[in-house]
Every structure is written in C-alpha cells, then in structure tokens.
Amino acid sequence: MSTSSAPVRSAGRPAATDHLGHVIFITAAAAMGGFLFGYDSSVINGAVAAIREKYQVGSGTLAQVVAVALIGSAIGAALAGRMADRLGRIRVMQIAALLFTVSAVGSALPFALWDLALWRVLGGIGIGMASVIGPAYIAEVAPPAYRGRLGSFQQAAIVIGIAVSQLANYGILQAAGGDQRGHVLGLEAWQLMLGVMVVPAALYGLLSFAIPESPRFLISTGRIDRAKAVIAEVEGADSDLDARVAEIEHAMRSEHRSTFRDLLGGRMGLLPIVWVGIGLSVFQQLVGINVAFYYSSTLWQSVGIDPSSSFLYSFTTSIINIVGTVVAMVFVDRIGRKPLAVIGSAGMAVSLALEAWAFSYRHGADAALPHGQGMLALIAAHAFVFFFALSWGVVVWVMLGEMFPNRIRAAALGVAAAAQWIANWLITVTFPTLSDWNLSGTYVIYAVFAVLSIPFVVRFVRETKGKSLEEMG
C-alpha cells in the first residue's frame, strides 16, 4: 500500500458521512437485484402444490422444477464476473433485469411443464448475475468505513424480497378463495404469483440507469475524469481525487481481466483463498436455509397446519429473517464478520437439532405432530432463520465482495457464487426425497453442517472488517 493512500482514507471518511444519503441510494438501487433474487427464489413456495396437481408429478419431478432455476443461477454467477469486466457492472444489472422480466411473463403463461422449467432457468440466470454483481458493485462504490453495512444491503434486499413474495402469495391466495388453482384476473392463482415479479424486475431495470458505473471499471477503461466524478459523489468532492485514482490504479497495475486460469494454484488446484470463498458459499447452503423458503408452506401443511395458516407462518418466518438481517447490519462493522459467523453457526446447530427432535414424533407421511412438538418445531424454525439472518446470510455476501485480491476478485466471486448455487440446487432437489425418507434425519444432516462450519470459520476465514479492498492483496 502506498503511503499516499493513508490521508485519502482519513479525509474520505468524514466526507462519506456528508454524502451517505446518496451512497445509500446507489447501494439500494444496486441491491434491487438482491430483492429480485429473494423474490424469485421464494415465490415458487406458493406454487409448489398447484404445480404438482396441475401437471400430476411426483416429488422427484417437482423438485427438479423447483430446483432447475438454481442451475441457471450457477450459470449466471459463472458468467457475471467476466461480463462485468468486459461490459461494466451497470450493463450486467440491465441484462439481469431483462432476464427477470422475461422469466416472470413466461412463468405466468406456461404451455407445459417443460417451458415452465425453461422460464425458471432464464430467471435463474438473472438471479446468478445479480448475486455476483450486487456485492461486487457495492464493495467497489462504498467508502471503506461503511462498506460492511452497505454490503449488508444485498442480504437485506434478499430477505425483503422473500417477505414481499410471501405476502404477495398470501394476498393472491386469499383473493382466490384459498385455492392455489383458483382464478384471479383471468389466471390461476399460482400463475399470478409467478407473474407479479415483472413489477420489481422493471423497477430494477429503471434504477440501473440512475446509478453511476463503478470507479474501478471506469479507471480500467481509461475514463479517469468520470471515475473522479463518481468518487466525488460517494466520498465527497473534498477528497483527494487524484490520490484516490492513483491508489486504485496502483492496485490494478499488475492486474489483467481475471479468468478461471488466474484462480489456479496450490496443492488442491485452486488458490487457497478461492477454496475459502467456495467453503463459505457451500456452508451457507448446506445448513438447509432455502428449505425454509422453497418448501415451508408444504412443510407446515404436512404436519397438520391448514394451507392459509401455512402461508401466514411462511410470512412470519420472512419477518424474522428481516429482523435478523437488521441485527447483522448493526453489528457487522462493530464486532466483525468472523464472530457473527460463529455465533450464527452455534445458534443454527441448536435450532436444527431441536427441529430434528420435534419431527421425530411425526409417524407416517400424513400424520400431524403432537401439539407440543409442533409448537417447538415452529419456534425452532423461526430461531434457525433468525440465527442464519444475523450471521451467514449477511456475512457471506459481505465477505465475498471484499475478501479476494483485486486481480482475481471478479473471477473468484463468480466461482464462489456458482458453488453456492450448486449447493443450493443440491439441497433443494434432495429435500423432497429426504423428507419422504426421514424428515427428522434430514434436519440432523443440516445440523451437522452447521456444527462443521464453526471450525471452518475459526481455522480458515480471514477477518476483513475495516480494510480497504486494496489492502486485501
């Protein structure tokens, strides 16, 4: 790090306070992709039972339709980093918005099961792109003093998207008389649930035209004056703009457009830091968090809760998710990323173990839980989501946006995000079959992964709190 960078940071932090409102707007607009990510990921929860009935499919085929979007997400995540380096961060956001819009319309008007799956893949590609470009863009425009909290906007937007989708599903279900196949506005309720996403998708596209390109991308393409203008927008015009540009150029001097080849090295094929990023992504999914959002309605119905109430419980879970995320946003820059991750892992392990114990009292596929165990299962499920939200939900997205050296950030973030989507797909596609086999045993598996994540964080994860991106290597 050059000595000229120190006064820039010290001068830039107070200026960031003056411009924090504008920075928050920029961050929130970029995080709209996270909102769509959460909305699209969770909205299928309200359509699962109707799709099974309409197309007369079993658990295995249904799981493939639910999870196929995640294959698209892995593809989108793998492509986004390279596209962002070539086309710019904003252009990738616009492409993702277009894919979301097309997916919403197609999913609402499918001809058959195969084209419903196709539209979900397209939406998944948009999700994958948004999952990469959001954290990367936010990390690049946010002042270091606020980067953790601003980086948390991505996860906050995701959980708000989940909550809004659950609320929209509940409202549409009520309008359809509690029947997922009842008609509203000329469509079956489940079709309208999937189609409503066209509204936030269009908003995301419009907002992408109202925010500036990343200073680092502008500098990489020789647009120095524009980069200075953007830095002044987010750090204050009284910042030493020439020194900030020089600092970024110094960090980028030895860089080239990162590719997968740049990630190779070490005894296990990839650079150690890349494996750490992959590990964070995979553990985030292997605890089974998305089971709570993809299958929660049908899960609660399976233990004796009526359909309308099951949608309501799904919505309350989303509210808990938001509360936990707010807690994380408050503490992520105060106590650090690693402590939050360890606290969350311990809480998730206990909650999942309690869920496993409660569901062990379910005897038979159609049997309801005893009242006491049913209440414990509900409480433990909400506690699990809360501990996830205050830790891994936020920490992983923040760290993936800031943990990699500049020269490999885009490619490494793409690989880590792709690994996350593959793990998400694995959990999503296996849950129906595993739950038919042994629901309690399934939660034991998730609890074991929560326990294993603790030594992983303690041993391999490096704290990034308060460090500039240039300090990461």
Side-chain angles (χ1 to χ4, degrees), residues 403-429:
M403 68 184 288
F404 301 114
N406 279 333
R407 65 182 180 83
I408 66 167
R409 178 171 294 114
L413 184 53
V415 168
Q420 183 176 120
W421 289 116
I422 291 170
N424 190 341
W425 172 82
L426 179 65
I427 292 297
T428 304
V429 80

Side-chain angles (χ1 to χ4, degrees), residues 92-144:
V92 173
M93 293 181 195
Q94 293 165 352
I95 293 171
L98 178 61
L99 289 172
F100 280 127
T101 303
V102 172
S103 172
V105 174
S107 296
L109 304 169
F111 300 106
L113 192 62
W114 68 266
D115 76 302
L116 174 60
L118 174 63
W119 300 123
R120 286 188 51 73
V121 169
L122 287 180
I125 294 173
I127 291 176
M129 289 182 172
S131 73
V132 170
I133 203 60
Y137 175 85
I138 293 169
E140 290 178 352
V141 299

Side-chain angles (χ1 to χ4, degrees), residues 157-348:
I158 291 171
V159 300
I160 292 171
I162 292 170
V164 170
S165 75
Q166 301 285 18
L167 186 60
N169 284 355
Y170 180 74
I172 292 170
L173 185 68
Q174 296 306 304
D179 182 4
Q180 291 183 20
R181 298 203 61 194
H183 284 77
V184 181
L185 301 178
L187 297 174
E188 292 189 9
W190 69 272
Q191 293 176 275
L192 188 59
M193 290 175 186
L194 299 181
V196 165
M197 192 180 71
V198 72
V199 176
L203 179 60
Y204 180 43
L206 291 174
L207 285 173
S208 70
F209 288 97
I211 58 178
E213 183 55 86
S214 157
R216 284 173 177 79
F217 177 75
L218 292 170
I219 290 172
S220 74
T221 56
R223 289 176 278 177
I224 306 299
D225 290 340
R226 179 56 186 151
K228 288 181 180 179
V230 175
I231 293 170
E233 283 184 46
V234 299
E235 296 187 14
D238 57 341
S239 298
D240 189 337
L241 301 181
D242 288 329
R244 282 293 288 127
V245 169
E247 179 186 17
I248 295 171
E249 285 182 324
H250 176 74
M252 297 171 61
R253 196 161 294 144
S254 60
E255 294 180 31
H256 56 282
R257 296 189 189 279
S258 55
T259 66
F260 183 78
R261 183 177 300 174
D262 298 316
L263 309 182
L264 300 178
R267 290 177 296 178
M268 298 181 65
L270 298 175
L271 295 171
I273 189 66
V274 179
W275 281 116
V276 173
I278 291 172
L280 284 169
S281 292
V282 169
F283 271 118
Q284 188 197 51
Q285 298 302 317
L286 294 184
V287 295
I289 184 61
N290 281 308
V291 167
F293 300 116
Y294 294 153
Y295 296 111
S296 57
S297 293
T298 52
L299 181 63
W300 296 126
Q301 290 173 41
S302 74
V303 297
I305 295 173
D306 67 86
S308 293
S309 296
S310 72
F311 272 74
L312 184 60
Y313 283 128
S314 296
F315 177 66
T316 60
T317 301
S318 298
I319 297 301
I320 293 294
N321 200 7
I322 294 173
V323 172
T325 301
V326 171
V327 172
M329 293 175 72
V330 170
F331 288 106
V332 69
D333 279 326
R334 295 184 182 181
I335 68 174
R337 285 65 159 149
K338 286 182 67 171
L340 276 182
V342 172
I343 291 168
S345 292
M348 288 189 295

Side-chain angles (χ1 to χ4, degrees), residues 388-423:
F388 176 86
L390 68 81
S391 59
W392 285 76
V394 165
V395 165
V396 170
W397 290 113
V398 171
M399 293 199 75
L400 290 181
E402 63 189 13
M403 68 184 288
F404 301 114
N406 279 333
R407 65 182 180 83
I408 66 167
R409 178 171 294 114
L413 184 53
V415 168
Q420 183 176 120
W421 289 116
I422 291 170

